[in-house]
Amino acid sequence: MSLRILKRSVLGLALFAFFGLVASRVFFVFADVAVVNAEKREFIAPQAATVQTSFAKPFSDVADGAPLVRIAALVQDDAALLGAEQAVGVAQDTVAARRIQRAALLSEKGRLDERLVALLEAARASVAEQIAARESELVSLAAERERRGRDLERAVDLAGRRVVSDAVLDQTTVSSRKAQLDYDAAANRLTALKIKFRQIQAGLLVEEGTGDVAYTAQRLDEIALKLIDADRDLKQAELALAGALARRDAERAAFERKHVITFAAERAGRLLPPVVEPGTTVAAGGTVAVTAHCAGLFIDVIVPEEDGARFALGQSVSFRLIGSDKEWTGSVAELSANGNSAALRNTFVAPRTTRRTWLLARIAPEPAFVAKALQETDCAIGRTAVLKTRSTGSLSLVWAALRDVL
C-alpha cells in the first residue's frame, strides 16, 4: 500500500513538474545565461615593457582623452637620441663660452670708457687752467698795449715840438709795436686753447694728456671691432643651439613614439582592474588598462537557438540581478545567432555555454537601472541576472518543454 502511494506521489510530482515547466515555457522564457556587460576598451602592450606612470586608480571615472598609463619598452635603441642630447650639450657650451667672451669684452669696454672719461676730464681741466692763465695774461698785455699806445702818442707830440729826439720816438714806436704783437700772440694762443677745449669736449682731440688718451681710444676701437665679431659668433652659436634643440625634440618624439606609449581613454568611462603599478614589467600582448562605458550598460543573454522566435527587436523584457529581489525592465536592442552579428560591438566576448547553437540577445536596460549601477564601483559589470520575456504561445513551445523534460 505504501509502495503504491509512493509511486503515485512520484508520478504526481513528475506530472506537476512537467506541467509547471510547460506552463513556464508557454508564458515565460528563462535565460540560460544573463550577464551585465558594457562596451570595454582593453589597452594592450605591443611589446615587453615596464610601466612608468599610472594616471588613474581602479574604479575611477576618466574623461575623454584622459591619460591612463604610460609604458616604456624594455629594449630601447636610444643612440640617435643620445647623439642629439650630446649635440645640444656642445651647442649650449659654445653659447655659454660666446656669452662669457662678449661679457668680458663689454667689461673691458666699460673700463676703457671710464678711463677715457677720466683722461679727457683731466685734459679738459688742464686746458681750462691754461685758458684761465692766457686770459689773465691777455688782460695784462692789453693794459701794457694801452700804456705803450699812450706813450707813443705822447712821444709823437713831443717829437713834433722838438722836445724829444727822433731816436726816443723810434724806441717808443718799437715798444708800442712789440706790445701789440705780444697781445695778438696771446690772443691767438687763447683762441687755440678754446678750440682745443671744444674738441676735447666733443671727444675729437685725443693727443691731449700724453699718449694715455690715444692708447685708450685705440683700445676702444679694437674692442668695438671685437664686439662686432663676438655678437656675430654668439648669434651663430644661438642659431646652432636652436637647431640642435629642434633635432633633439624630433629625436625625442620619435623615440617616445617608438619606445614610450601613453594610453589615453578614447571616451569617458570607468577604469576597471587590472591597473598595473609603476615599475611592473608587462609582457608583449599583456593588458595594461581596461575602461568600460558605464553609461551604456546592457544585458547579454544566451538562449537555445530554437528559442530565438521568442525575442524580437524592441521587445520588452524583465530581469533581476542574482541576490536581489528588485525587478527591472529593458528592451531587446540586438540579436545575433552565435554572437556573430556585425551589429554587435567589437568588444563582445561570448559567454561560456555548452550549446553548439545558441542565440545572443542584447538587452538595453531601463535608465533607472543604469543610474543605480553607476553607483557601484564596477558598474555591476559581470553580475549575473535572471531574465524573462512573454512567449507567443505556439505549439513549438510545448515541443521545447517536452524536449527539455525528455
Side-chain angles (χ1 to χ4, degrees):
M1 183 68 177
S2 59
L3 182 59
R4 183 182 298 176
I5 294 175
L6 180 60
K7 290 181 178 179
R8 288 179 180 179
S9 298
V10 171
L11 181 59
L13 291 174
L15 290 174
F16 178 78
F18 173 75
F19 287 112
L21 182 58
V22 170
S24 67
R25 297 302 293 262
V26 170
F27 293 101
F28 297 99
V29 172
F30 289 90
D32 290 345
V33 178
V35 180
V36 180
N37 207 343
E39 287 190 30
K40 299 176 185 177
R41 173 67 168 90
E42 188 174 5
F43 298 90
I44 305 298
Q47 54 185 316
T50 56
V51 178
Q52 289 186 338
T53 308
S54 293
F55 297 96
K57 296 181 179 180
F59 303 114
S60 61
D61 291 324
V62 293
D64 182 15
L68 301 176
V69 64
R70 177 180 294 138
I71 64 174
L74 289 177
V75 180
Q76 301 179 357
D77 180 14
D78 57 353
L81 180 58
L82 288 178
E85 293 281 1
Q86 292 174 356
V88 168
V90 173
Q92 289 175 336
D93 292 342
T94 302
V95 170
R98 294 290 182 265
R99 287 175 177 171
I100 292 174
Q101 180 186 8
R102 185 176 183 276
L105 290 173
L106 287 175
S107 176
E108 179 69 10
K109 181 178 182 298
R111 187 184 65 80
L112 291 173
D113 283 335
E114 293 177 357
R115 176 177 175 80
L116 183 61
V117 168
L119 291 173
L120 291 177
E121 186 62 31
R124 282 193 295 270
S126 175
V127 173
E129 290 179 0
Q130 294 179 36
I131 289 176
R134 291 291 180 265
E135 287 178 343
S136 177
E137 179 186 12
L138 190 63
V139 170
S140 299
L141 292 174
E144 179 67 15
R145 184 190 62 177
E146 293 295 332
R147 188 176 66 80
R148 293 296 182 182
R150 289 194 297 272
D151 290 346
L152 180 60
E153 290 177 354
R154 188 168 49 254
V156 170
D157 180 61
L158 292 176
R161 289 182 293 161
R162 301 295 181 175
V163 177
V164 297
S165 63
D166 292 337
V168 173
L169 178 60
D170 292 340
Q171 184 179 1
T172 304
T173 302
V174 170
S175 298
S176 176
R177 186 176 299 171
K178 182 176 180 304
Q180 181 65 40
L181 292 175
D182 290 342
Y183 177 83
D184 293 340
N188 291 335
R189 287 195 296 272
L190 178 60
T191 301
L193 286 174
K194 289 182 177 180
I195 293 173
K196 182 182 293 186
F197 185 81
R198 288 195 296 270
Q199 290 177 333
I200 293 174
Q201 286 283 87
L204 300 176
L205 187 64
V206 296
E207 70 269 10
E208 190 65 33
T210 68
D212 289 341
V213 174
Y215 173 75
T216 303
Q218 180 182 355
R219 284 289 300 150
L220 278 172
D221 291 340
E222 294 174 357
I223 294 296
L225 294 176
K226 290 181 179 181
L227 272 175
I228 293 174
D229 294 338
D231 288 337
R232 183 188 64 249
D233 294 341
L234 176 59
K235 187 64 176 178
Q236 292 176 348
E238 289 175 343
L239 291 175
L241 175 59
L245 289 172
R247 288 190 295 274
R248 184 192 65 180
D249 292 341
E251 290 294 342
R252 180 174 295 169
F255 177 81
E256 291 185 354
R257 284 195 303 269
K258 185 177 181 181
H259 301 290
V260 180
I261 301 175
T262 299
F263 294 102
E266 296 178 353
R267 64 187 304 179
R270 187 163 296 180
L271 188 64
L272 301 180
V275 177
V276 291
E277 296 294 328
T280 305
T281 300
V282 182
T287 300
V288 295
V290 178
T291 58
H293 181 50
C294 291
L297 291 176
F298 45 84
I299 311 296
D300 279 338
V301 182
I302 293 293
V303 296
E305 188 175 11
E306 57 270 15
D307 289 336
R310 300 175 182 275
F311 293 93
L313 291 176
Q315 179 182 1
S316 178
V317 298
S318 300
F319 68 92
R320 64 178 178 83
L321 299 180
I322 296 297
S324 173
D325 296 331
K326 174 66 174 177
E327 191 170 277
W328 307 90
T329 62
S331 59
V332 179
E334 299 172 3
L335 293 172
S336 170
N338 291 355
N340 293 325
S341 173
L344 295 179
R345 296 168 179 81
N346 296 329
T347 56
F348 166 72
V349 177
R352 294 181 180 178
T353 179
T354 58
R355 300 182 183 276
R356 290 177 299 177
T357 58
W358 46 273
L359 177 104
L360 170 71
R362 184 157 286 182
I363 310 300
E366 61 178 301
F369 174 81
V370 177
K372 181 68 169 60
L374 285 174
Q375 299 176 6
E376 303 289 337
T377 56
D378 58 354
C379 304
I381 296 174
R383 295 279 298 275
T384 305
V386 176
L387 181 140
K388 61 182 179 179
T389 178
R390 294 286 182 179
S391 70
T392 59
S394 64
L395 292 179
S396 62
L397 305 180
V398 178
W399 169 244
L402 291 173
R403 186 187 65 248
D404 287 343
V405 172
L406 300 177

